[in-house]
Amino acid sequence: MGLKKFVATRIVTMFGVLMVTLLLTISLVGSNMDTILKQGVAYQVRTEITSDPTIASSFSSTEEFDAYIQNQIELATEVLGLDEPWYSPQRIGLTMYKILLLDFGNATFLTSDAGSPDVREIIFEKLPRTILLFTTATIIISVIGIFLGALSGSKVGSVVDRITSSFAIISSSFPVWWIGMIMIFVFAFMYQIFPARATPPIPASDPNYFFSLLYHMTLPLITIVMIGFGAWAYLVRNFMVGIMQEDFIMSKKVIGISKKKIIYTHALKNAAPPIVTILALSLSGSLGGAIITEAVFDWPGMGRLYFEAITVMDLPVIIGATYILTVFFLVSIFIADLLYGYFDPRVRTA
Amino acid sequence: MSISPQEIKNEFVRSRVGIAGLSILGILILVSITAMVAIPSETFSQWNNPSNWISYPKVAIPVWVNLFLIEKIPEHKILQNPVEKIETSGDISLVSHQFGFSFDYDDFPNDFIYEFSAKYSGSPLLQISVIRPDGKTLNLVSTSLPYSNTETMHTERVFSTDDSIRKNLFLQSDEFDFSLNRLSAEDIVFAESNSHKPLKGNYLFIVNLYGVNSENQISDSTLTIGGKAFGIMGTDELRRDLAIGLLWGTPLALFIGIVVAIASVAMGLVYGVYAGYRGKKTDEVMMRFNDVIYALPALPFLIILSVTISNSIFLMIGFLTIFGWVGVAKVSRSMALQIKTRGYIDAAEMMGQKKSKIILRHILPQLLPYAFASIAISVPAAITTEAGLSFLGLGDPSFPTWGQILHDANVFGAASRGLWWWIMPPGVMIAITGLAFVFIGNALDVIVNPKLRR
């Protein structure tokens, strides 16, 4: 199998997954969504008619007027295709097509900071902040993790190795959001260094907004890094332990190449494919975990948006956010696959 | 690659981490049994019913904190067994309930509440007074119960905030050297007479019920001295005793974690082995399906599922299993592919053994060590995911888990209010439970994967 075919099958699979996800989401929230849409149409038609007093005065009795409104609502529902049940193929197809083109409609309750109810605008306002926080965190985590992992992997059984391994095991059993609560308790309550809420108090238009955002980002960032890097170091360590036992490393040692050079050029290079893959996966994985972490720190990103949308059952936002999260997840899995194929030709030909 | 159970056992006993994990698990199981035996499940199912917790204090610190403090925080006292005295002289009968307790704290109590049910006829006189450690007697209440011709049952709560208590105390203001203005009843009753500081020592609250020509009775007599410390684990904003929630959380977490882990590993194992053994088209189709599930973002889906379908704990276990089996299936497929090529499988096939029998007899048993290691490793993930969902407020309200306690803590801003006893213990419990299984899993993993052994 050549690289082209490999990429092509991957793309097809990913697209298939995206469709399945969409279909699942829509079928899960479809009936609720339908009621909300119908109510929305009814409300819109009613306000349109009642805002024009000339229409109301042209009717002799309220019953007639009501019947007229009801008629208009039914007409509007029919025009929009809402008279069919939500699970009819046309409606599901239409909804999926709209979502594919990032047309999520209007949110029921939530608005963007600027006050717009358009779900796409809301999401694109929050997305950069989530990416800012979690990409920064992942980069820091991977740098610390690779360095520590390589160090402890080359000296199995040493103090560094033991500390790294036990820290990895212990830190992985603590939920990030709980550590977040503790961090807030320590650094916002006991020592008032960082703010308890990560949402900057000044409006987004303020020139200092970005710096304020960075300051408010510190506490969540420290927390995510603290919980994340141990597991990373442990993974890299295990790869390194495997590679350091390989014959080619042994022979390099015998030739007399310095140990440092062996670790950081030859061994790490060989551990690269799995490490890069995991980097791509953990980036997307962190976006999923963002929901809870952002809820704790009140970080104004996608995760908190998702949390708020669930609390008030704002379905268009839920669907839109799920879609965007899935796209990110799939794109990073895709990139991980490609990178793996690029680094390790065996995958392509197998 | 095949290891006998005996070998695994021997190796495991030698691994310190594994033994540590097993001992923690043993302790957790003991805690679960104690919780289920000692705390009736009725108490536990009343967790979200505020009226059940009414006599407990709000956000009270654990009692043991006092051991480390110089200035002692007043403990919350619920006194239910008074000394009862009944006297009759002539026409007048007296029922007297006396509550004695020692008060050795450096702060005033929050309040005091006397709750009772009286059975009487006529209109008896109720008197409440307190004898203080300095010998002074303060009259608090002196009132008659509502008149009744026939024998009647009367239930009442006397609060320290009652105006009549304040008035009575003002009448005795010459007992004190400082102004009683703006002080609440508990701040006066528990104060030294020459300065406004808590008076330490033994207090005796006396409740007297005087009746004329009638036999009176007081039942359910309870005196609550409202404090700021209560129980081993303290209480939360909704006055719930956190010890009960924490104890009962243990069996729940173990149940969720173990059931999800076993179910998903069993599912993945069978799925993967079947796909690997059949190979070809079946394998291809099954692995594509596996890819699809693998690529679904788990947390958003779990959230949508619990919001739209149900947040019942049993369904949640099912949902967690759906997302949990994928990785195991991938690994066990590749292991089955390896085992398939062995000579004895060919031999079994040639002897005409059924495919299901080959899988069950010859392939699955070889994967069992790996399966046990994966079960142990997937328990913490299941527990933290459930805790995470509960933390978002999507937990099953009839089964309060540690995650739900933390959810409430977050809702009431416990972290920024410094209520550490509300945040620390649930998280520590989650982590300890996770650690136990991670330890066991790691010990097994080292035995199963000899590559890690160096």
Side-chain angles (χ1 to χ4, degrees):
Chain A
M1 207 194 316
L3 187 62
K4 266 186 196 160
K5 204 183 169 197
F6 174 73
V7 174
T9 36
R10 282 285 131 197
I11 290 181
V12 170
T13 319
M14 291 300 154
F15 192 74
V17 172
L18 192 63
M19 289 299 104
V20 170
T21 319
L22 259 183
L23 201 62
L24 271 176
T25 324
I26 293 172
S27 51
L28 279 171
V29 298
S31 59
N32 288 329
M33 183 87 178
D34 193 42
T35 345
I36 291 177
L37 271 177
K38 277 182 185 156
Q39 279 169 354
V41 169
Y43 178 75
Q44 204 181 347
V45 171
R46 199 173 285 273
T47 41
E48 250 170 49
I49 295 174
T50 46
S51 64
D52 188 355
T54 50
I55 303 176
S57 58
S58 65
F59 290 93
S60 49
S61 72
T62 39
E63 282 94 47
E64 258 181 66
F65 186 48
D66 276 345
Y68 171 73
I69 293 179
Q70 204 52 47
N71 195 24
Q72 287 295 314
I73 290 173
E74 269 160 33
L75 271 178
T77 338
E78 213 165 302
V79 168
L80 291 169
L82 294 178
D83 52 333
E84 284 188 54
W86 65 270
Y87 43 81
S88 72
Q90 294 106 303
R91 278 199 59 193
I92 287 197
L94 188 69
T95 319
M96 281 175 71
Y97 176 72
K98 271 188 174 173
I99 292 175
L100 266 182
L101 299 178
L102 301 181
D103 176 7
F104 307 117
N106 282 346
T108 340
F109 305 104
L110 301 173
T111 57
S112 69
D113 290 347
S116 155
D118 187 352
V119 174
R120 185 169 22 167
E121 269 176 46
I122 301 178
I123 287 177
F124 284 124
E125 181 186 72
K126 315 275 184 197
L127 195 58
R129 297 181 194 146
T130 298
I131 293 178
L132 172 71
L133 174 60
F134 285 89
T135 313
T136 323
T138 311
I139 290 171
I140 299 176
I141 286 175
S142 52
V143 170
I144 301 178
I146 290 173
F147 178 73
L148 258 183
L151 193 70
S152 51
S154 60
K155 292 180 197 162
V156 178
S158 68
V159 182
V160 181
D161 179 34
R162 282 181 181 200
I163 294 177
T164 313
S165 302
S166 32
F167 186 79
I169 291 175
I170 292 171
S171 70
S172 65
S173 3
F174 285 98
V176 184
W177 42 270
W178 180 70
I179 298 291
M181 291 175 88
I182 301 292
M183 294 294 274
I184 293 175
F185 172 70
V186 174
F187 291 108
F189 174 76
M190 279 170 69
Y191 310 100
Q192 291 165 3
I193 306 171
F194 296 112
R197 297 183 75 228
T199 311
I202 51 178
S205 50
D206 198 289
N208 288 327
Y209 181 77
F210 184 69
F211 296 102
S212 173
L213 200 67
L214 282 186
Y215 170 58
H216 285 78
M217 191 174 98
T218 327
L219 202 55
L221 189 68
I222 294 175
T223 312
I224 300 169
V225 169
M226 216 171 75
I227 286 302
F229 83 87
W232 252 93
Y234 194 57
L235 261 168
V236 176
R237 172 208 178 258
N238 283 351
F239 286 128
M240 289 294 283
V241 171
I243 286 166
M244 291 302 274
Q245 289 173 35
E246 300 273 350
D247 293 342
F248 71 94
I249 298 283
M250 290 294 176
S251 48
K252 284 203 164 93
K253 271 187 199 163
V254 174
I255 299 171
I257 298 177
S258 77
K259 201 168 179 194
K260 226 178 202 164
K261 203 174 173 195
I262 295 179
I263 296 169
Y264 289 105
T265 56
H266 306 287
L268 258 186
K269 203 169 156 193
N270 270 279
I275 291 177
V276 170
T277 316
I278 294 167
L279 180 69
L281 285 183
S282 69
L283 251 179
S284 64
S286 69
L287 287 183
I291 297 173
I292 309 182
T293 317
E294 286 187 6
V296 173
F297 286 107
D298 216 13
W299 177 255
M302 282 287 284
R304 204 190 67 175
L305 174 73
Y306 205 100
F307 179 62
E308 281 172 352
I310 293 159
T311 340
V312 295
M313 275 304 276
D314 199 327
L315 294 172
V317 179
I318 295 182
I319 293 181
T322 313
Y323 179 73
I324 296 288
L325 279 179
T326 316
V327 169
F328 263 82
F329 193 65
L330 290 180
V331 166
S332 46
I333 288 185
F334 180 65
I335 292 173
D337 269 351
L338 284 192
L339 285 177
Y340 206 103
Y342 175 76
F343 280 115
D344 193 344
R346 283 173 296 181
V347 177
R348 270 178 278 155
T349 48
Chain B
M1 93 159 261
S2 65
I3 313 170
S4 74
Q6 191 58 41
E7 273 171 352
I8 294 178
K9 200 184 143 204
N10 289 344
E11 291 242 9
F12 192 85
V13 171
R14 255 186 280 143
S15 129
R16 261 185 294 166
V17 178
I19 295 295
L22 265 192
S23 354
I24 302 177
L25 183 61
I27 295 171
L28 287 174
I29 290 174
L30 268 182
V31 170
S32 313
I33 296 172
T34 334
M36 293 197 283
V37 173
I39 303 163
S41 57
E42 292 89 60
T43 320
F44 164 68
S45 60
Q46 294 296 313
W47 182 257
N48 283 318
N49 176 11
S51 65
N52 192 47
W53 306 98
I54 198 99
S55 62
Y56 289 178
K58 241 184 194 182
V59 286
I61 207 164
V63 174
W64 49 263
V65 174
N66 265 339
L67 293 176
F68 307 101
L69 295 179
I70 303 162
E71 300 229 323
K72 307 287 183 208
I73 301 168
E75 275 175 34
H76 187 86
K77 292 184 192 207
I78 302 172
L79 306 164
Q80 278 174 322
N81 298 311
V83 180
E84 190 169 34
K85 280 183 191 151
I86 299 172
E87 282 170 30
T88 22
S89 62
D91 289 345
I92 295 172
S93 69
L94 163 66
V95 186
S96 171
H97 278 193
Q98 303 191 342
F99 298 88
F101 61 94
S102 73
F103 186 84
D104 299 309
Y105 311 105
D106 296 281
D107 197 1
F108 294 103
N110 277 354
D111 54 7
F112 55 86
I113 300 165
Y114 178 63
E115 191 183 354
F116 68 99
S117 298
K119 203 168 160 194
Y120 65 90
S121 58
S123 178
L125 176 70
L126 177 76
Q127 271 192 338
I128 303 177
S129 56
V130 52
I131 302 178
R132 297 167 10 122
D134 58 1
K136 288 196 169 112
T137 306
L138 294 178
N139 290 322
L140 300 177
V141 176
S142 175
T143 176
S144 52
L145 299 182
Y147 179 79
S148 156
N149 260 334
T150 52
E151 196 172 70
T152 180
M153 198 71 179
H154 175 79
T155 306
E156 197 179 324
R157 277 200 183 125
V158 182
F159 292 93
S160 56
T161 45
D162 279 4
D163 268 345
S164 60
I165 296 185
R166 270 174 66 87
K167 248 175 229 163
N168 276 329
L169 284 169
F170 272 117
L171 292 177
Q172 303 159 74
S173 61
D174 44 344
E175 301 271 0
F176 297 93
D177 296 346
F178 52 92
S179 160
L180 300 188
N181 272 333
R182 296 182 180 211
L183 290 181
S184 56
E186 65 275 3
D187 283 9
I188 302 170
V189 171
F190 291 91
E192 286 179 4
S193 55
N194 43 11
S195 63
H196 186 235
K197 273 188 206 149
L199 175 65
K200 297 180 185 181
N202 291 318
Y203 286 80
L204 189 66
F205 274 72
I206 302 171
V207 180
N208 287 339
L209 192 66
Y210 296 97
V212 184
N213 287 329
S214 66
E215 285 287 300
N216 299 330
Q217 276 176 2
I218 307 180
S219 52
D220 302 325
S221 169
T222 312
L223 178 68
T224 311
I225 308 292
K228 298 175 180 91
F230 182 80
I232 321 167
M233 285 301 169
T235 60
D236 66 7
E237 181 79 19
L238 304 170
R239 300 168 190 271
R240 295 178 291 208
D241 186 354
L242 285 172
I244 291 175
L246 285 170
L247 278 177
W248 262 97
T250 321
L252 278 177
L254 287 180
F255 174 72
I256 295 169
I258 293 174
V259 170
V260 170
I262 291 180
S264 45
V265 168
M267 208 168 133
L269 204 64
V270 171
Y271 189 91
V273 167
Y274 186 77
Y277 179 68
R278 289 298 294 269
K280 295 193 188 123
K281 269 268 140 63
T282 326
D283 181 35
E284 181 66 25
V285 171
M286 284 175 89
M287 281 302 120
R288 281 292 148 266
F289 178 68
N290 189 302
D291 280 351
V292 171
I293 304 277
Y294 178 73
L296 287 180
L299 194 62
F301 258 93
L302 285 171
I303 292 173
I304 292 183
L305 281 171
S306 63
V307 167
T308 53
I309 296 185
S310 150
N311 58 1
S312 137
I313 205 157
F314 301 103
L315 277 175
M316 195 74 84
I317 286 174
F319 297 150
L320 287 171
T321 311
I322 292 175
F323 289 100
W325 61 274
V326 191
V328 182
K330 271 193 174 173
V331 179
S332 45
R333 167 186 171 260
S334 60
M335 288 173 122
L337 281 179
Q338 274 177 24
I339 298 173
K340 204 170 87 173
T341 56
R342 301 274 166 84
Y344 56 82
I345 303 284
D346 281 341
E349 266 172 1
M350 250 185 287
M351 279 161 65
Q353 217 163 35
K354 267 196 249 158
K355 280 184 174 163
S356 58
K357 212 165 191 181
I358 293 178
I359 292 180
L360 282 179
R361 271 266 172 82
H362 301 293
I363 303 183
L364 275 183
Q366 304 234 23
L367 295 181
L368 279 186
Y370 162 74
F372 282 122
S374 346
I375 287 178
I377 288 172
S378 30
V379 169
I383 293 178
T384 38
T385 314
E386 193 282 330
L389 286 172
S390 293
F391 179 76
L392 290 177
L394 304 170
D396 188 339
S398 47
F399 293 98
T401 55
W402 295 325
Q404 288 180 45
I405 298 180
L406 285 170
H407 166 74
D408 293 337
N410 196 44
V411 167
F412 288 105
S416 41
R417 283 164 65 192
L419 311 175
W420 53 267
W421 63 91
W422 198 356
I423 329 167
M424 293 290 284
V428 171
M429 289 303 279
I430 293 174
I432 288 179
T433 316
L435 266 187
F437 287 98
V438 171
F439 281 166
I440 297 173
N442 264 37
L444 283 175
D445 210 22
V446 172
I447 300 167
V448 180
N449 295 327
K451 220 181 175 183
L452 291 175
R453 216 176 285 185
R454 249 194 47 159

